[in-house]
Amino acid sequence: MSTTTKKLNVNIAVGPAGRAIAQPMDAALVESFQYHLTMERNASADYFAKAIWFAERELNGFALFFNEESKSEQIHASKFADYLIARGQTVLLQDIPAPDQSWSSVEDIMADSFRMESDVTTSLHNLYAIAERSSDMRTTVFLDPNIESQLNSENEFAHLLGRVRFADNQSSAMLIIDGELTAGNHSPLSLSN
Ligand SMILES: [Fe+2]
């Protein structure tokens, strides 16, 4: 179903926000975009809460890492807002609940983060499928680099979860990982570079 509602007097279609649009967006796709944007904002709030959890426990490297992750999730949300605006849609911001801060361990936090990243990937795939069904190539082109960078995030969290599991809750090992994160080292090995 088209979300185009009006026409400018020069016979150019406009979207719900009144901006000129070249191609209407499928209503289900717009709804899923709004939902995805909320997921990114939720992830930002969640990572900020995790940064605080680590700062309270003197694990500054983890705290810095999660603080940066929180900022990049907000940037992801902004990218989706930019895209909806570019397509003439109205961005509808939804409620962001307070994050659940009852984590029991570093491993618990890393596993929770990995699960969250994996849910974001699923949501992106869902957007892609709807865009393909509605022959919306503008959207598939927009999503391609975002999906690739999302896979990198998943890979990174799988790596950090693996490191934390390997540390097995030993303080000295955990402090080594914390030092690595302070130095900005959080990527899995790349054998191809
Ligand atoms: Fe994200």
Side-chain angles (χ1 to χ4, degrees):
M1 190 173 84
S2 160
T3 55
T4 308
T5 54
K6 299 162 248 175
K7 294 231 175 198
L8 292 173
N9 55 10
V10 285
N11 209 24
I12 291 177
V14 296
R19 295 182 86 242
I21 57 165
Q23 179 189 13
M25 271 180 93
D26 180 274
L29 182 59
V30 173
E31 195 183 328
S32 298
F33 255 77
Q34 311 277 18
Y35 176 74
H36 186 85
L37 196 150
T38 304
M39 273 186 103
E40 300 282 4
R41 292 174 64 227
N42 267 319
S44 178
D46 182 88
Y47 286 157
F48 184 51
K50 285 168 178 164
I52 291 167
W53 191 93
F54 283 111
E56 287 170 347
R57 287 159 182 81
E58 325 305 345
L59 289 166
N60 292 356
F62 281 96
L64 281 170
F65 170 77
F66 276 102
N67 204 34
E68 287 307 309
E69 288 297 309
S70 172
K71 290 181 204 165
S72 45
E73 297 303 345
Q74 178 56 49
I75 291 170
H76 297 166
S78 302
K79 277 188 184 175
F80 277 78
D82 285 345
Y83 184 74
L84 284 172
I85 293 167
R87 293 292 304 273
Q89 304 301 318
T90 303
V91 180
L92 298 171
L93 297 182
Q94 297 161 344
D95 283 346
I96 303 294
D100 179 359
Q101 293 173 277
S102 60
W103 302 291
S104 57
S105 65
V106 178
E107 184 177 337
D108 185 20
I109 286 192
M110 301 319 282
D112 185 55
S113 304
F114 177 74
R115 260 193 310 270
M116 205 168 67
E117 292 292 341
S118 149
D119 288 346
V120 170
T121 307
T122 302
S123 171
L124 286 172
H125 289 164
N126 177 48
L127 293 177
Y128 206 95
I130 303 173
E132 278 198 320
R133 266 205 307 276
S134 55
S135 303
D136 191 333
M137 205 177 288
R138 287 176 175 82
T139 298
T140 53
V141 168
F142 164 75
L143 289 172
D144 274 327
N146 289 293
I147 289 176
E148 191 178 351
S149 92
Q150 182 57 34
L151 290 181
N152 289 336
S153 294
E154 256 184 25
N155 189 15
E156 194 168 277
F157 273 99
H159 170 66
L160 291 175
L161 174 60
R163 300 277 288 169
V164 163
R165 279 194 171 150
F166 192 74
D168 198 22
N169 233 10
Q170 304 295 312
S171 310
S172 49
M174 214 59 92
L175 285 171
I176 289 173
I177 300 174
D178 193 64
E180 290 173 351
L181 292 175
T182 302
N185 299 330
H186 42 74
S187 300
L189 179 69
S190 170
L191 296 172
S192 54
N193 282 335

